[in-house]
Amino acid sequence: MRTLKSIQNYINGQFVRGRREFADVNPADGSVIAEVTEADDALVDDAVQAARKALRGEWGRIGVRERAARLHKVADAIEARFDSFLQAEVADTGRPVALAAKIDVPRAAANFRVFADAIKMAGIESFQTETPDGRGALNYAVRKPLGVVGIITPWNLPLVLLTWKVAPALSCGNTVVVKPSEETPATTTLLAEAMQDAGIPSGVYNVVHGFGPGSAGESLTQHPDVNAVTFTGESRTGAAIMKAVAPSVKPVSFELGGKNAAIVFADCDFEETVRGLADAAFLNTGQVCLCAERIYVERTIFERFVDALKLKAESLRVGWPTEQDTNLGPLISAQHRDKVMGYYRLAREEGATVVTGGSVPEFDDARDQGFYIQPTIYTGLAESARCVKEEIFGPVCHVAPFDSEDEAVAMANDTKYGLAASVWTANLKRGHIIAQQLNVGITWVNCWFLRDLRTPFGGVGLSGIGREGGIHSLNFYSELNNICIRL
Ligand code: NAD
Ligand code: 6OD
């Protein structure tokens, strides 16, 4: 009999079992890969108290240089365990192994290195202040940790988005309690081993497993001794967390959903644009918050573009995540596939033309017990259709024609979300002008998901609150204390 792997909570430097367990499922074939032990309120409290205590221990005493050195050691430890992280992430998420090897594990290490260096380079503000009596004053600010930061992460890029928040939080001297998605608990737990290898003191990095409402997620966000909450996930979960933290007025940073637009002009580099937008629509089976679900194409090249994108979508290899030449793995869960299939049906009811896809592929092997879905392109929907307005979060896009720049910008901006956009044109002057008119946190011109970790990252409207990245992360994860000295 095969013994299932057990994924445990990590509290005060120890792996700890909870009272209930739930299954960690491989989305490629529906098999159970591990039992995950859920943290109840008491264990969440233990984790928060361990994190509080660690603020007053060695972690609270070491200086910025030593903190940064240890974060580089965390990056070294991730790189040393590259294959374990890779296998765990692929099994949990179903993302293709080539993608995870190129993006997820290297980015986890990069997140620690970038914020280790950023905190060493971060200056403080100071002002010489003139006063009526001529004596003047000196104002300067010091950066202090917020305290215990609660970190809640989603399933779509578990390791990237976890380390994107843990690294800057630790670089600023905080301690953390992380609640990963119930769908993808493995790499958050593996990171605990990397923390141990790197000499991060007990209690600095804690992990509690479980669900959202009525479980570890809610318990963490409501905990009175958590000083700030940083969350990535759905917009409506962000709203629930906002309510939970309101009574204790905690700072929040929210990276939420999107319904991102791409605008394609007739003068674009056609091949590069089709390649770029095939990635933007289908990468990670469309489960990237930055994916383009709305593509607006100048009418003169509309049909040629739709034909080319169709060819590209149909050339993608939907397969086992562990095979090197797989382009698309499954969706994360049966429940998520039901949701995406619901939108595929709705698109037809709303009058869409199905250019390609629209259903579930058949394999005649164990993948039929997995949660695969076809990459799908629609045209012909009204701009008011729910499929054009609501985030679907699958490998799907709607392509619509436009006749003028103003019309393209108006359609792109007609959304309650505002995370990301892309503009494709050989005319860079037009690229700048259009990009500046888009109501989003990030616009890419002639590229997509090209990241520089020093830049502000976040969204407007339903897409989030605040910006992370570079100095923006350091400012969120620290409390600035301004000191005014009378001279
Ligand atoms: P989700 O909101 O369902 O869950 C995210 C996390 O929140 C999970 O750990 C979950 O257990 C927890 N949670 C759920 N309800 C909670 C509650 N009431 N209190 C506390 N915790 C709770 O999101 P998901 O389905 O895991 O992720 C997909 C969503 O995330 C998409 O909408 C996507 O656009 C968004 N996302 C946004 C970004 C960004 O940077 N803006 C990045 C990745 C994903
Ligand atoms: O690249 C990042 O830093 C980031 N936060 C990406 C988010 C992707 C959403 O799925």
Side-chain angles (χ1 to χ4, degrees):
M1 198 179 75
R2 196 164 68 96
T3 317
L4 269 183
K5 213 171 94 191
S6 163
I7 295 182
Q8 301 187 15
N9 304 294
Y10 182 69
I11 299 173
N12 203 22
Q14 306 290 324
F15 289 96
V16 182
R17 249 178 218 292
R19 263 187 250 140
R20 280 199 314 204
E21 301 209 312
F22 60 93
D24 180 17
V25 172
N26 183 336
D29 59 8
S31 61
V32 175
I33 44 184
E35 293 293 346
V36 190
T37 171
E38 184 180 358
D40 59 10
D41 288 352
L43 281 183
V44 172
D45 185 53
D46 287 351
V48 173
Q49 298 317 332
R52 285 228 78 74
K53 192 164 156 238
L55 285 169
R56 301 187 299 272
E58 184 195 359
W59 190 244
R61 287 192 298 272
I62 61 178
V64 167
R65 268 179 35 185
E66 176 60 21
R67 234 167 33 222
R70 298 221 195 157
L71 295 187
H72 274 293
K73 284 191 184 150
V74 177
D76 295 342
I78 292 171
E79 285 160 356
R81 293 167 178 268
F82 192 97
D83 288 342
S84 308
F85 276 103
L86 186 63
Q87 280 165 22
E89 197 72 330
V90 170
D92 259 13
T93 62
R95 71 191 352 73
V97 64
L99 180 69
K102 190 170 131 206
I103 295 186
D104 298 71
V105 186
R107 189 44 213 280
N111 283 338
F112 280 98
R113 297 203 190 284
V114 163
F115 288 107
D117 292 342
I119 194 66
K120 280 197 297 189
M121 299 300 290
I124 48 172
E125 282 181 307
S126 70
F127 298 94
Q128 290 275 4
T129 307
E130 292 178 11
T131 56
D133 63 5
R135 284 171 60 190
L138 174 67
N139 278 279
Y140 68 96
V142 290
R143 194 179 281 287
K144 299 206 288 193
L146 290 166
V148 177
V149 179
I151 300 182
I152 303 209
T153 54
W155 46 256
N156 68 317
L157 301 172
L159 183 59
V160 169
L161 298 175
L162 166 79
T163 50
W164 173 242
K165 290 180 181 296
V166 170
L170 297 191
S171 78
C172 293
N174 299 286
T175 59
V176 301
V177 180
V178 182
K179 208 297 282 171
S181 170
E182 55 276 25
E183 311 278 6
T184 53
T187 46
T188 308
T189 314
L190 258 181
L191 188 62
E193 295 176 16
M195 294 282 172
Q196 287 181 335
D197 294 352
I200 301 295
S202 296
V204 172
Y205 176 80
N206 304 276
V207 180
V208 290
H209 289 294
F211 303 81
S215 181
E218 195 173 74
S219 181
L220 182 60
T221 54
Q222 288 183 343
H223 199 293
D225 292 333
V226 168
N227 300 98
V229 171
T230 177
F231 167 71
T232 304
E234 280 194 38
S235 303
R236 65 171 170 210
T237 311
I241 292 177
M242 202 149 180
K243 269 197 194 149
V245 304
S248 50
V249 198
K250 297 185 211 308
V252 290
S253 174
F254 285 169
E255 298 182 334
L256 308 178
K259 187 73 184 178
N260 310 303
I263 301 179
V264 180
F265 287 96
D267 68 354
C268 69
D269 177 326
F270 191 81
E271 295 306 324
E272 190 179 278
T273 303
V274 172
R275 257 198 317 274
L277 284 176
D279 267 355
F282 305 127
L283 190 89
N284 200 32
T285 319
Q287 302 165 115
V288 179
C289 58
L290 308 158
C291 276
E293 291 193 4
R294 300 181 293 143
I295 303 182
Y296 299 105
V297 181
E298 197 164 3
R299 194 177 298 277
T300 50
I301 60 159
F302 178 74
E303 278 172 24
R304 185 173 157 230
F305 178 86
V306 171
D307 289 346
L309 194 64
K310 172 179 189 288
L311 268 182
K312 192 86 193 149
E314 290 172 354
S315 74
L316 294 173
R317 190 165 179 279
V318 180
W320 285 107
T322 44
E323 289 177 359
Q324 282 294 337
D325 56 354
T326 289
N327 301 115
L328 290 197
L331 292 172
I332 189 68
S333 64
Q335 191 193 12
H336 189 53
R337 184 171 66 181
D338 288 348
K339 175 185 154 184
V340 177
M341 273 308 295
Y343 278 106
Y344 283 13
R345 280 190 293 277
L346 179 65
R348 286 192 171 88
E349 285 159 28
E350 289 185 312
T353 300
V354 184
V355 175
T356 187
S359 53
V360 169
E362 285 177 17
F363 299 97
D364 283 330
D365 60 29
R367 285 171 292 181
D368 290 335
Q369 275 75 61
F371 315 125
Y372 286 87
I373 201 159
Q374 290 175 334
T376 296
I377 302 172
Y378 295 117
T379 56
L381 285 170
E383 280 301 294
S384 56
R386 280 182 54 203
C387 289
V388 179
K389 289 279 167 267
E390 297 172 14
E391 182 187 51
I392 300 173
F393 219 54
V396 54
C397 61
H398 178 248
V399 193
F402 71 83
D403 293 300
S404 70
E405 286 181 5
D406 287 351
E407 188 194 7
V409 169
M411 290 194 290
N413 279 340
D414 187 12
T415 170
K416 291 196 165 90
Y417 291 100
L419 185 58
S422 59
V423 181
W424 302 82
T425 177
N427 179 346
L428 279 186
K429 181 173 176 194
R430 172 157 68 187
H432 284 285
I433 291 169
I434 302 282
Q436 292 187 25
Q437 293 177 65
L438 294 172
N439 299 330
V440 292
I442 308 135
T443 306
W444 281 287
V445 177
N446 296 328
C447 55
W448 175 77
F449 204 0
L450 197 171
R451 295 282 289 116
D452 179 326
L453 307 187
R454 297 167 299 183
T455 58
F457 183 97
V460 306
L462 283 186
S463 292
I465 297 179
R467 294 290 180 274
E468 297 196 37
I471 191 71
H472 309 278
S473 294
L474 301 187
N475 286 342
F476 174 74
Y477 292 104
S478 46
E479 206 70 84
L480 291 180
N481 177 1
N482 186 71
I483 296 165
C484 177
I485 313 273
R486 189 85 156 101
L487 297 174

